[in-house]
Amino acid sequence: MQHVSFGNMFLLLKIRAKSSISLILKVIKMGIQKSSLGSKLLCLTIATLCSTANVNAERLWSRSSPNWTPKTVSMGLRGTQVFGPIDVGQDHVALYSGFSPDPAPPVWQNNLPIEGMNMESASADTTDVHVVLSQLTVNNVNSNRQTVVKKYTSASSTPNWSYTFPGISAGLAKIDISNDGSRIVAALVYPSEMRLTVAVFSPNSGTPVSTFNINLFGIHLNGFIVSADGSTLYITSNSMVFIYNLANNSLIQQNVLPGMYSSHALCGNGRAFAYGEFNRVHLYERNNNGGYSQTWVGEYPGFIVTDRLVLSDDCSTLGIGLHEYSQDLTVKIKMIDVQSKNQLMQDECTGIGTFQNVVSDMSLSADGSRLAVALWGDGGNVCSELRVYNRDTDTPIYQHNYPGSVHALDMSPDGKRVVTAVKPVHANTFAGGGSFDLHAIELDELRIVGIPRPGATVSVRLRGLPANSPTQLLTSTSLLQEPVYMGNMGSLFLPRLSMNPIAFTDTNSIGQATGNFQIPAGSVGSNLFMQAIAMLPRRLTENFEQIKTLP
């Protein structure tokens, strides 16, 4: 395509009522890639087009404060709960509901000692388990720290249990969790002994199920990942990769690392891992001997360093985040098919100014079909700090351009929601404040708005159903292990024998309906599953919601 001039871009705005937004975005992007700085900045003035290519996506809610800055965030229970620790400002952990209205109040908040630092958090994808690790300075000496692990559920701000690593250590510490929350793993470096201690927990007790040491480990701890199924642990030191079998804490393999980098990935069953360095990404896969062999090397010449890597739970897809360190302005995003080693998509964005534009975090949907990317961003606000891609698209299907930087993010297993931990100014600048933001990459056909407390009334919103049709809400206290396909009706997620149909509002002329639903009175922590159906013609919503009652 020829260069798209400034005037031609305004012409595109005039014809947007007659053209698809996705086509307009494609034309604008091609023009911007070859255009002047003025045309790049024009993109910022037409936010309805440049902020997102998916008209059914939006930011659902935000929780902001001038008094704290988040550095980590995690999402649990199928994207319905957000767990947000804070160690810059008033130290605390807070739980937010994925169904919350905007702005989102915390469901609960647990204040922690102000001496805390280096917080790490993790949440189980499919269950109600959240963990946080923090390091408490002793006698106001930063090099003297106690490392504490706490486990929470949504039912209470009081942790179910707490564990403190033995002794005082100035070393780094990490934590991670399996998808179902059945295995929690934390580790602490003891630099004076060059030893790493690993503690493995169940969700039921703060007494470790097992512990083991890696001697002569060194003083750095960068990569630390528990596989989604809880079978495998990936750890990196100054110069080594260690892969452990968590069933018996045995070492599977040990590889030499080319240096200390922050780009590491492990797939859901431990079958593949990857690490990055300057100009290269290395992929290893299980071999017939039970160990790992290198099966692919991605070569990226020039002033390139690998910032972040991520492997999908199903081991199908590798996400790669790179940046050019000559000026720290250009980021490059890629997705690789693990089986064929073919590149699936690529995108890059070059910012302006003097701030460092790097990839700060990445997250993949469980099936590898969708990638969420966090950036620090640039001084000219050219590169959106939140970017979401489909596996087969070179352009983001959703973007959000923040005035500051995204420190961390997490994506729900189905790829429909992303939560971000945001600093309101660039990460290179000294200023406080921040927010947690929940984004819907796709608006579900069934959506609940309101905190689901026992006896509370929440809003139920339906979309995408047949027009002018009676509807019913279907509820059950259990969920089918596998959905039942019912032809043109769609798939049923709830067991028919225990399903309770409730008459609901008719859809309007565009297939939407909104009404209220009262959460049953009962104990905190009970589960209710909901799906909806249009009656004329009969069609089930494509999604269900898991409603766990909150305090």
Side-chain angles (χ1 to χ4, degrees), residues 25 52 118 198 214 266 287 298 319 344-345 418 457 492:
L25 279 168
T52 175
N118 302 331
V198 178
I214 304 178
L266 177 69
N287 55 39
L344 300 166
M345 58 75 61
V418 174
T457 298
L492 180 66

Side-chain angles (χ1 to χ4, degrees), residues 177-460:
I177 191 170
S178 63
N179 275 7
D180 65 0
S182 64
R183 186 160 280 163
I184 300 161
V185 187
L188 172 65
V189 176
Y190 292 86
S192 61
E193 305 171 42
M194 298 186 70
R195 167 173 56 91
L196 180 77
T197 294
V198 178
V200 182
F201 304 88
S202 82
N204 301 319
S205 173
T207 300
V209 174
S210 62
T211 60
F212 64 93
N213 295 321
I214 304 178
N215 296 316
L216 300 177
F217 181 80
I219 62 173
H220 291 281
L221 174 60
N222 286 320
F224 187 83
I225 309 169
V226 174
S227 62
D229 66 0
S231 66
T232 310
L233 177 63
Y234 173 99
I235 310 172
T236 68
S237 68
N238 306 41
S239 57
M240 288 286 179
V241 172
F242 302 87
I243 310 292
Y244 277 86
N245 180 350
L246 286 173
N248 53 19
N249 299 335
S250 61
L251 180 65
I252 301 173
Q253 187 158 317
Q254 180 175 338
N255 284 23
V256 176
L257 270 180
M260 294 180 292
Y261 300 97
S262 300
S263 48
H264 304 278
L266 177 69
C267 79
N269 61 11
R271 184 176 62 81
F273 70 86
Y275 62 82
E277 56 167 316
F278 288 111
N279 305 115
R280 293 178 184 85
V281 171
H282 304 262
L283 176 66
Y284 286 75
E285 296 178 79
R286 278 284 178 97
N287 55 39
N288 294 331
N289 298 322
Y292 294 85
S293 301
Q294 183 169 273
T295 58
W296 178 79
V297 178
E299 299 278 357
Y300 306 106
F303 297 98
I304 296 292
V305 65
T306 311
D307 288 333
R308 292 291 184 268
L309 296 174
V310 62
L311 278 160
S312 59
D313 287 354
D314 69 354
C315 301
S316 68
T317 310
L318 172 65
I320 301 173
L322 314 163
H323 92 271
E324 293 185 359
Y325 59 86
S326 57
Q327 294 183 309
D328 289 329
L329 290 175
T330 299
V331 294
K332 299 174 183 284
I333 311 300
K334 302 175 186 292
M335 295 173 77
I336 305 296
D337 181 82
V338 171
Q339 182 174 4
S340 68
K341 313 302 186 289
N342 292 331
Q343 182 170 285
L344 300 166
M345 58 75 61
Q346 62 177 342
D347 188 27
E348 68 176 74
C349 186
T350 299
I352 59 175
T354 58
F355 291 151
Q356 290 175 296
N357 187 23
V358 301
V359 179
S360 53
D361 204 359
M362 303 177 79
S363 184
L364 271 167
S365 61
D367 64 359
S369 64
R370 186 164 289 169
L371 173 69
V373 180
L375 306 181
W376 275 10
D378 60 288
N381 264 338
V382 174
C383 298
S384 299
E385 288 78 14
L386 171 60
R387 314 169 74 85
V388 182
Y389 301 86
N390 279 346
R391 198 172 187 258
D392 56 355
T393 57
D394 291 339
T395 56
I397 62 165
Y398 179 76
Q399 301 181 66
H400 192 88
N401 202 342
Y402 283 100
S405 297
V406 177
H407 282 305
L409 58 72
D410 197 11
M411 175 179 275
S412 60
D414 62 8
K416 292 184 177 182
R417 291 186 172 192
V418 174
V419 65
T420 54
V422 182
K423 183 177 179 179
V425 295
H426 196 276
N428 289 153
T429 63
F430 294 97
S435 68
F436 295 111
D437 293 353
L438 182 63
H439 299 258
I441 311 307
E442 292 180 33
L443 290 180
D444 284 321
E445 291 184 345
L446 167 64
R447 181 183 166 203
I448 295 169
V449 179
I451 298 176
R453 295 185 166 100
T457 298
V458 297
S459 173
V460 176

